[in-house]
Amino acid sequence: VISTHMKEIGEELFSKKVHKEQLVGVTYCAALGRAATCGDSHVKILDMSGQEYVELKSEAIALEGQQVDALQWTEDGNVLSVSTKGGDIYSFIARLPVLYDHHET
């Protein structure tokens, strides 16, 4: 990640190799403060809400034997969709919205 702020232009802020062989796609969800990356038949999630970008290993998705070629969050961050070169599309629930809320007074 390279800064675009005038005082920091060109400075590297963060560097991490997330995939072993190749990085195919990256998408960021501002609502969640997370990024998703795809490559090597895997989707990996990075928490970008703090000063350090942390890989959330428990939320990684393995699509063994398939080449992942694109991914995208919904604007609200509820769903992450992933497509493969074989034409499959997977949609994963990333966050459940509150469907009903009631407070008795």
Side-chain angles (χ1 to χ4, degrees):
V1 176
I2 306 282
S3 177
T4 58
H5 292 284
M6 288 307 290
K7 291 188 285 184
E8 303 171 333
I9 256 192
E11 287 185 41
E12 184 177 294
L13 302 177
F14 173 78
S15 178
K16 181 175 187 171
K17 187 171 183 173
V18 181
H19 297 276
K20 291 179 185 177
E21 296 296 321
Q22 62 179 338
L23 174 65
V24 177
V26 177
T27 183
Y28 175 72
C29 178
L32 296 177
R34 292 184 176 180
T37 65
C38 64
D40 304 332
S41 300
H42 288 81
V43 175
K44 298 190 178 183
I45 309 297
L46 298 172
D47 182 357
M48 301 178 72
S49 61
Q51 295 293 329
E52 298 278 327
Y53 301 152
V54 179
E55 181 181 345
L56 303 173
K57 293 184 182 205
S58 65
E59 295 187 21
I61 302 164
L63 298 170
E64 296 300 330
Q66 300 193 49
Q67 290 183 305
V68 180
D69 71 346
L71 70 170
Q72 184 66 47
W73 294 101
T74 55
E75 189 173 325
D76 58 11
N78 291 338
V79 178
L80 174 65
S81 294
V82 179
S83 67
T84 67
K85 289 192 179 203
D88 296 323
I89 297 176
Y90 299 92
S91 291
F92 300 94
I93 296 174
R95 176 176 73 171
L96 286 174
V98 175
L99 299 175
Y100 180 79
D101 190 15
H102 176 74
H103 179 67
E104 197 167 322
T105 56

